[in-house]
């Protein structure tokens, strides 16, 4: 032992000397050692000007770089690293801004959520294919996982022969009517623009008419485009009237064959139906609630 030194100090001197001897033949290589906070302080003290402390934004020292060796504290977890907190804040902010984009469209100035007095049942009442039923079933299973305030009946999807029981009320019904060109044209001609909004394809052709509790969809749609507008119509009725420029978002008007919700889409739906927001909120109200800069 060096006179006047501690065991930790001797260890740090020996470590440095041994490591330097090993690493001299391999410039640019470092040995990484996981140590206690006490050992880290000892290394920092004894290495003098050759030691470079590693700190995160709160000033927390998480390690020391010395010639040939990097010492890291072994007692920290992810909660001790504020950079992770920053990442979480950024993700929350991205979700919040995405929510603003996809909720507020040309026809609405306030949020308009589904009510939560009863469970919802999807009722496909005309010209359906089995693939429509399967697509809707998959969608509502995802929506149930994301929502804390509303629930869709996922064991049964009502079909044209379904006989509802209105007394007592069992469900709130969301109807999907898949119709031919002639009937769709009649619906377009008689449309009430104050309560019925249009869904359009990439060529600006109307393919759907959306009410608060009813979607009319053109039967000419096929494949992924058909499935896309099934979920897009339902989401529109749920209060998502806006659009996104993100290429993977189902709310991107150019993404008419997209059938999967992006991570931001899922986060926004979860936020919308997580219990913090209600109907009747303006964009500024939502921004204040979510802590988003009003000027954004």
């Amino acid at each position: 032992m060096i006179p006047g030194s501690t065991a930790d100090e001797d260890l740090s001197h020996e470590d440095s000397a041994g490591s330097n001897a090993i690493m001299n033949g391999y410039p640019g290589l470092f040995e990484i050692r996981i140590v206690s906070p006490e050992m880290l302080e000892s290394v920092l003290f004894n290495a003098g000007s050759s030691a470079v402390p590693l700190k995160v934004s709160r000033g927390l020292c998480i390690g020391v770089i010395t010639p040939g060796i990097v010492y890291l504290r072994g007692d920290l977890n992810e909660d001790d690293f504020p950079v992770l907190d920053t990442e979480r804040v950024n993700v929350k902010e991205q979700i919040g801004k995405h929510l603003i984009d996809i909720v507020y469209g040309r026809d609405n100035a306030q949020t308009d959520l589904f009510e939560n007095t009863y469970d919802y049942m999807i009722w496909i009442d005309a010209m359906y294919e089995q693939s429509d039923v399967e697509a809707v079933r998959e969608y509502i299973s995802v929506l149930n996982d994301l929502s804390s305030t509303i629930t869709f009946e996922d064991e049964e999807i009502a079909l044209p022969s379904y006989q509802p029981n209105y007394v007592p009320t069992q469900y709130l019904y969301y109807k999907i009517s898949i119709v031919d060109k002639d009937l769709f044209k009649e619906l377009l001609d008689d449309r009430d623009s104050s309560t019925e909004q249009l869904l359009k394809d990439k060529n600006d052709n109307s393919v759907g008419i959306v009410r608060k509790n009813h979607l009319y969809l053109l039967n000419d749609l096929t494949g992924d485009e058909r499935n896309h507008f099934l979920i897009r119509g339902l989401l529109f009725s749920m209060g998502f009237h806006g659009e996104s420029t993100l290429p993977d978002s189902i709310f991107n008007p150019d993404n008419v064959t997209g059938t999967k919700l992006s991570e931001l889409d899922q986060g926004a739906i979860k936020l919308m139906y997580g219990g913090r927001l209600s109907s009747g909120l303006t964009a500024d109200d939502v921004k204040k609630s979510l802590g988003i800069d009003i000027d954004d």
Side-chain angles (χ1 to χ4, degrees):
M1 180 178 290
I2 300 172
S5 67
T6 66
D8 277 348
E9 290 168 349
D10 283 342
L11 179 59
S12 65
H13 284 302
E14 292 169 7
D15 283 348
S16 296
S19 180
N20 284 338
I22 294 171
M23 296 300 175
N24 279 340
Y26 301 93
L29 294 181
F30 286 85
E31 180 182 353
I32 297 177
R33 297 191 178 182
I34 309 300
V35 298
S36 67
E38 294 76 20
M39 179 62 184
L40 194 67
E41 289 183 10
S42 176
V43 170
L44 188 59
F45 178 80
N46 288 289
S49 61
S50 65
V52 179
L54 295 173
K55 296 183 178 181
V56 290
S57 60
R58 283 195 300 235
L60 176 68
C61 185
I62 64 170
V64 176
I65 301 175
T66 65
I69 306 178
V70 176
Y71 295 90
L72 296 174
R73 280 178 58 174
D75 63 319
L76 300 177
N77 57 52
E78 66 176 26
D79 292 332
D80 294 303
F81 292 86
V83 64
L84 296 177
D85 294 336
T86 301
E87 290 175 355
R88 291 191 189 100
V89 169
N90 288 341
V91 169
K92 289 180 179 179
E93 186 172 319
Q94 289 172 15
I95 292 173
K97 290 182 177 179
H98 188 59
L99 175 70
I100 298 296
D101 288 339
I102 65 177
V103 164
Y104 296 98
R106 60 187 179 278
D107 65 298
N108 69 317
Q110 297 181 335
T111 51
D112 186 18
L113 283 70
F114 269 4
E115 60 182 282
N116 60 359
T117 52
Y118 297 94
D119 288 354
Y120 278 83
M121 175 177 278
I122 302 295
W123 188 351
I124 304 177
D125 67 355
M127 297 183 69
Y128 73 95
E129 299 175 2
Q130 186 58 34
S131 59
D132 300 329
V133 178
E134 296 307 317
V136 169
R137 193 187 307 277
E138 180 181 348
Y139 291 148
I140 62 176
S141 177
V142 172
L143 294 175
N144 280 342
D145 288 341
L146 295 175
S147 173
S148 301
T149 56
I150 64 167
T151 302
F152 288 93
E153 166 59 50
D154 56 7
E155 294 295 326
E156 179 184 8
I157 292 177
L159 299 176
S161 61
Y162 178 76
Q163 296 294 320
N165 182 4
Y166 291 109
V167 182
T169 302
Q170 290 181 302
Y171 298 104
L172 296 171
Y173 294 101
Y174 184 82
K175 284 192 175 183
I176 298 176
S177 301
I178 302 172
V179 299
D180 61 24
K181 280 184 178 179
D182 292 338
L183 180 53
F184 191 75
K185 184 178 184 306
E186 290 181 24
L187 292 167
L188 281 176
D189 291 342
D190 296 335
R191 182 176 73 94
D192 180 352
S193 60
S194 66
T195 59
E196 298 175 325
Q197 303 303 319
L198 298 178
L199 298 179
K200 296 189 176 185
D201 64 13
K202 289 178 67 172
N203 298 318
D204 205 37
N205 297 315
S206 297
V207 296
I209 300 173
V210 188
R211 296 177 182 169
K212 182 60 182 175
N213 60 355
H214 202 148
L215 165 65
Y216 294 93
L217 197 64
L218 185 62
N219 191 41
D220 288 3
L221 296 172
T222 60
D224 286 343
E225 187 176 28
R226 185 178 177 112
N227 290 343
H228 169 86
F229 283 108
L230 278 170
I231 183 62
R232 187 67 187 89
L234 175 57
L235 289 170
F236 197 103
S237 294
M238 290 174 63
F240 297 95
H241 294 206
E243 297 177 350
S244 172
T245 58
L246 300 176
D248 62 340
S249 173
I250 204 167
F251 298 96
N252 186 322
D254 292 327
N255 187 20
V256 296
T257 57
T259 60
K260 301 295 183 184
L261 298 168
S262 71
E263 289 189 10
L264 283 180
D265 291 342
Q266 293 182 48
I269 294 169
K270 190 173 184 178
L271 185 57
M272 179 83 150
Y273 283 91
R276 293 176 61 183
L277 303 180
S278 59
S279 293
L281 300 178
T282 66
D284 284 350
D285 292 334
V286 173
K287 288 179 180 180
K288 289 177 183 177
S289 175
L290 301 180
I292 298 173
D293 191 337
I294 295 295
D295 295 329
D296 286 349

